[in-house]
Amino acid sequence: MQLKLNLSIGQRTALGFALMIGLVLIASGTGLLYTRTVETTVNTTRDGADQIEQVGNLQENWLAVVSTIDNLLLTRQTSLIDQRLRGELDTFNQQLDALEPGLPGTSPEIAAENARIIGDLSSLGDELTGSVNELIIEAQSGRWARAQSLRHTSMASLQRQLNEDLETLSGNIRTVVYDSADEAMSAQRDTRTYWSITAALALLLGVLAGFLTVNSITQPVAALVRTAQAIRGGDLTQRAAVNTRDEIGQLATTFNSMTEQLSGLIDHLEERVNDRTRDLQIAADVSKQITTVLDIDELLQQVVTLTARSYSLSASSVFLPTSDNTALVQAAGSDAAGQVLTPSESGVPIADDLSAIAVAARTRKTVSIPDVSEEPDYASPALLRYSRSEVAIPMLLGHRLLGVFNLQSSQPHRFHDEDLRILETLAEQIAIAVRNAQLFAETQSARETAEQANRIKSEFMANMSHELRTPLNAILNFTGFVADGVLGPVTTEQSDTLNKVIVSGEHLLSLINDILDLTKIEVGMMDLFIEEVDLNSILESLLSTAKGLIKAKPLELHTEIEPNLPRLYGDKRRIRQILLNLLSNAVKFTPRGNITLIARHQDGEILISVQDTGIGIPQDQQHVVFETFKQGRHDLQDTPGTGLGMPISKHFAEAHGGRLWFESAVGAGSTFYVTLPVNGLPSASDTNPSKPAIPTGTRLSS
């Protein structure tokens, strides 16, 4: 039986037995002590939630600083430093300074640890601020590589330490809250003990009065205890039953009110964390797409589909300006289900005053319409019939308009200030992606144009070289006939002149042949005639040619040729051309001294070197040796050349699977090396390495 009178506990006791007054007062005092304990616990819990929220806000603000830094490094827009970065950094430092070491009732050990952590956080804040300021200085000075290094080294390390300290501080705050709850539970146990003693004494003094009094007190308190235990276990949906208007009823009402507040705070915090996590995930996905997708249509469609689905929007679209900047046409559009929106053929005229898209494009400012039914000035054809709110965000890169990011929702007042900030950041990323794609397309077009021009040039040079060789050979032949007296006697002076014509003509023919080889290489028309090559006979023939090149120059030709060099497979004429170029260069740039030809077989390839004691090549001129139409500077006379022999020889060596390189020092001479694999080109068969895998006489494009 439960006492239903709406009386206070003291009045109930007075109506019973006078001797029960003292015991009931003790019970009431215990109840009030418990009330204060519970209130202290709830206050501590609420304060702990506030401090956890402060820690979360601090992490969120630091992520905003990092996001702005990444955007700065990606876009290299130093205007972001004053527009956003400094303000976000100041907000971060202010929230860092606002952290408190602990809650009321915090143990000295935890308070001391929290004070140490906050001191460490303050130092970390100073170091992070210093790193950010150093990065700002590097960015403003244009040293972007250094700024990138600071971002991914010192700042990353400091950020990890910051996260660890914040996690430790949050854990200490939770520990204090849990300890406070445990103290409340201890107080509850003491209260039950006192109430049990009161009930026993009441039973001794009066069974009926004691039973009624204890029953009217213990039942609501027990229910309140059960509710408190359920809430402590994480079930914030539990509420204490309020059956009376006495002190316990007021306590239950107060307890329920504080539980509602705590539940609201936690739900709001979780909602904010989830929203920020979603926003960061979208930003990360868009950033990933920017770096992996260069097709503008595919990229924009992926972005709008992701945005519409993530924010549950009725429509998400990107409008790009036409070439004459008189209208905006939809480049991509999607609804929340991922369906592609069909664009309007006419687009949105930029001069249209009824379109939020056009107004945003003209003013370069975000246009937000909370409820389109209350805004008769905006009736854009691009607005879907079931949309109730709309926002149009200009996509800017500096002061250049790249498009408009349009979002629509079936809910009025859908876009809040925080949503707009995130969406504006997303619009900036889309603008960067659009510009990157445009630059990529322009680069591709320019490269194709340049390649086409180069092909035309090379084909022209090849045709011209071919057309010049035929008449030049005829000139040389007829001049030779005249010089030899075939067409009649000639004087000594005439013979010398004709021989000079022949020498000059042969030099010109060599130049034309080199140009023809170079153009064939450039257009991919150079073929190698693969056959079995006896390198011994080639070297023997080269030595005879080299002796003729030396003539009356004070030079000695030495050889160190390994006997019986193995045969290899390649283009015999091109291999001879490589070696002849090396020997000719050695003779040309060695006024006096020695030239040594070395050939040996090692590690499955033939290594041939031509060593001279000539003038050598300066260090700052060595890079031009293998460049076309270039020759190093020197003081020698009578050293004609086109600057094509070495580049062509290098190409032929590499086409055979070998290498061509050199070592040189001024005054000490030069040594040119060439390696030719014995079975490198073509590949030898596995069953018979001594035979080529490609039949002899095959032509291969080099």
Side-chain angles (χ1 to χ4, degrees):
M1 182 176 62
Q2 183 175 358
L3 189 62
K4 296 295 185 180
L5 296 176
N6 292 323
L7 300 175
S8 67
I9 296 177
Q11 290 172 335
R12 295 175 188 177
T13 305
L15 292 175
F17 299 97
L19 293 178
M20 291 287 293
I21 293 176
L23 298 175
V24 172
L25 290 175
I26 294 174
S28 299
T30 304
L32 293 175
L33 178 62
Y34 168 71
T35 301
R36 288 194 297 271
T37 303
V38 172
E39 289 178 349
T40 300
T41 301
V42 173
N43 288 334
T44 301
T45 303
R46 181 168 53 191
D47 292 340
D50 290 340
Q51 288 197 359
I52 291 175
E53 183 178 8
Q54 285 182 338
V55 173
N57 289 337
L58 185 62
Q59 291 175 319
E60 181 180 342
N61 285 327
W62 175 246
L63 289 177
V65 172
V66 173
S67 176
T68 301
I69 289 175
D70 290 341
N71 194 10
L72 168 65
L73 295 176
L74 180 62
T75 64
R76 298 189 176 181
Q77 298 182 25
T78 56
S79 59
L80 291 176
I81 296 173
D82 294 324
Q83 290 177 0
R84 289 167 45 186
L85 184 56
R86 295 190 188 279
E88 291 170 351
L89 187 60
D90 291 340
T91 302
F92 168 76
N93 287 322
Q94 289 171 4
Q95 292 195 350
L96 183 61
D97 294 337
L99 287 179
E100 298 178 357
L103 302 169
T106 302
S107 66
E109 294 81 6
I110 294 180
E113 185 179 4
N114 288 350
R116 178 190 61 77
I117 293 174
I118 290 177
D120 292 344
L121 287 173
S122 178
S123 299
L124 279 174
D126 293 338
E127 293 181 22
L128 286 170
T129 300
S131 295
V132 172
N133 288 332
E134 184 179 358
L135 187 145
I136 289 173
I137 292 172
E138 297 294 338
Q140 289 176 336
S141 300
R143 294 187 288 271
W144 295 103
R146 172 59 180 164
Q148 287 280 7
S149 177
L150 288 173
R151 164 67 181 90
H152 295 291
T153 55
S154 61
M155 281 185 60
S157 175
L158 293 172
Q159 184 177 351
R160 287 194 295 271
Q161 189 174 352
L162 174 69
N163 291 335
E164 292 174 0
D165 288 345
L166 289 176
E167 288 296 330
T168 304
L169 183 60
S170 298
N172 290 344
I173 294 172
R174 294 189 185 95
T175 300
V176 172
V177 173
Y178 293 153
D179 291 342
S180 177
D182 291 337
E183 291 176 4
M185 292 303 301
S186 177
Q188 293 168 15
R189 289 191 294 271
D190 294 340
T191 301
R192 288 197 297 270
T193 301
Y194 292 144
W195 282 335
S196 298
I197 295 173
T198 302
L201 293 176
L203 286 174
L204 292 175
L205 298 175
V207 175
L208 181 59
F211 175 77
L212 294 176
T213 301
V214 172
N215 191 50
S216 65
I217 295 173
T218 57
Q219 283 191 358
V221 170
L224 188 59
V225 169
R226 289 193 297 271
T227 302
Q229 290 175 335
I231 292 173
R232 180 178 180 272
D235 186 3
L236 297 178
T237 62
Q238 293 292 328
R239 298 294 182 269
V242 182
N243 298 320
T244 62
R245 291 180 292 177
D246 57 11
E247 290 86 344
I248 297 179
Q250 295 174 3
L251 173 63
T253 301
T254 302
F255 187 85
N256 289 340
S257 176
M258 290 185 291
T259 303
E260 289 283 354
Q261 294 178 16
L262 179 61
S263 177
L265 288 172
I266 293 178
D267 290 343
H268 181 62
L269 180 59
E270 291 179 350
E271 181 181 356
R272 290 185 61 186
V273 170
N274 291 334
D275 289 344
R276 296 293 79 77
T277 302
R278 176 202 62 192
D279 296 337
L280 292 173
Q281 184 61 46
I282 293 175
D285 291 342
V286 172
S287 297
K288 179 180 179 181
Q289 290 169 341
I290 288 175
T291 58
T292 56
V293 181
L294 289 176
D295 183 84
I296 186 65
D297 296 329
E298 179 185 354
L299 172 63
L300 293 181
Q301 191 59 48
Q302 290 182 6
V303 171
V304 296
T305 301
L306 175 65
T307 304
R309 184 183 296 115
S310 300
Y311 288 95
S312 301
L313 302 177
S314 59
S316 172
S317 306
V318 170
F319 288 79
L320 300 180
T322 58
S323 57
D324 56 2
N325 288 324
T326 60
L328 293 158
V329 295
Q330 179 180 308
S334 175
D335 58 16
Q339 297 294 324
V340 177
L341 300 179
T342 303
S344 171
E345 295 182 0
S346 59
V348 179
I350 289 184
D352 187 358
D353 293 331
L354 299 179
S355 170
I357 298 171
V359 174
R362 292 200 308 272
T363 62
R364 305 294 202 269
K365 294 181 180 179
T366 299
V367 177
S368 178
I369 307 175
D371 192 340
V372 296
S373 63
E374 298 176 358
E375 296 285 346
D377 293 338
Y378 292 100
S380 170
L383 190 66
L384 302 180
R385 57 182 178 80
Y386 47 80
S387 294
R388 292 292 306 278
S389 58
E390 180 185 17
V391 62
I393 305 173
M395 295 158 40
L396 302 175
L397 193 61
H399 297 290
R400 180 175 182 177
L401 177 70
L402 296 177
V404 175
F405 191 28
N406 181 252
L407 304 115
Q408 302 177 28
S409 174
S410 59
Q411 303 175 6
H413 302 278
R414 168 62 179 81
F415 302 103
H416 305 291
D417 291 341
E418 291 186 359
D419 294 326
L420 291 179
R421 284 195 294 270
I422 295 298
L423 293 173
E424 286 173 350
T425 301
L426 187 58
E428 293 177 359
Q429 291 181 296
I430 299 175
I432 295 170
V434 170
R435 187 55 183 158
N436 286 346
Q438 291 175 347
L439 292 174
F440 178 76
E442 293 172 2
T443 303
Q444 288 288 92
S445 177
R447 187 178 68 178
E448 291 173 0
T449 302
E451 290 176 350
Q452 177 66 15
N454 187 59
R455 283 195 299 271
I456 294 174
K457 181 267 295 183
S458 298
E459 291 172 1
F460 172 77
M461 293 294 292
N463 291 332
M464 287 300 298
S465 298
H466 179 74
E467 295 298 327
L468 287 173
R469 284 200 304 174
T470 301
L472 184 58
N473 279 320
I475 292 172
L476 290 174
N477 290 333
F478 287 126
T479 304
F481 292 157
V482 174
D484 292 339
V486 175
L487 302 179
V490 293
T491 65
T492 303
E493 183 178 357
Q494 290 173 336
S495 177
D496 291 340
T497 301
L498 291 172
N499 287 329
K500 291 179 180 178
V501 172
I502 293 173
V503 170
S504 298
E506 289 176 345
H507 176 69
L508 180 57
L509 182 60
S510 175
L511 172 61
I512 292 173
N513 288 334
D514 286 345
I515 293 176
L516 183 59
D517 286 345
L518 179 64
T519 53
K520 285 183 177 181
I521 290 171
E522 289 181 345
V523 299
M525 297 172 57
M526 177 60 70
D527 294 331
L528 297 180
F529 185 80
I530 305 304
E531 59 182 330
E532 189 177 60
V533 178
D534 183 1
L535 201 58
N536 299 282
S537 63
I538 291 179
L539 293 174
E540 183 178 350
S541 172
L542 280 174
L543 290 175
S544 298
T545 304
K547 293 176 182 178
L549 293 174
I550 293 174
K551 297 181 180 177
K553 294 184 72 172
L555 291 174
E556 292 185 7
L557 179 62
H558 303 283
T559 60
E560 297 179 15
I561 300 175
E562 179 180 320
N564 300 321
L565 289 172
R567 294 175 178 266
L568 50 84
Y569 292 93
D571 190 318
K572 179 179 180 180
R573 186 166 68 91
R574 298 306 182 184
I575 293 174
R576 188 179 189 283
Q577 184 176 346
I578 295 170
L579 301 179
L580 182 58
N581 279 337
L582 298 184
L583 281 171
S584 298
N585 271 10
V587 173
K588 185 187 303 181
F589 296 105
T590 306
R592 63 183 54 82
N594 302 316
I595 296 176
T596 304
L597 174 64
I598 303 173
R600 61 177 179 271
H601 179 213
Q602 62 178 32
D603 300 328
E605 60 184 9
I606 305 298
L607 173 63
I608 303 172
S609 63
V610 178
Q611 180 180 348
D612 63 59
T613 59
I615 60 175
I617 305 172
Q619 186 69 31
D620 60 348
Q621 294 291 310
Q622 293 185 6
H623 67 282
V624 304
V625 170
F626 295 117
E627 294 184 12
T628 57
F629 298 107
K630 291 187 178 180
Q631 289 183 310
R633 295 188 300 270
H634 53 79
D635 298 328
L636 294 180
Q637 302 295 325
D638 299 328
T639 56
T642 63
L644 295 177
M646 286 298 102
I648 292 174
S649 297
K650 186 174 188 295
H651 173 81
F652 286 149
E654 293 174 351
H656 281 82
R659 293 186 303 136
L660 175 61
W661 74 100
F662 70 94
E663 299 172 354
S664 183
V666 176
S670 305
T671 302
F672 280 79
Y673 302 90
V674 61
T675 60
L676 297 171
V678 175
N679 295 310
L681 194 160
S683 300
S685 63
D686 294 334
T687 57
N688 191 353
S690 64
K691 294 184 178 180
I694 298 177
T696 300
T698 302
R699 290 188 179 273
L700 294 179
S701 175
S702 63

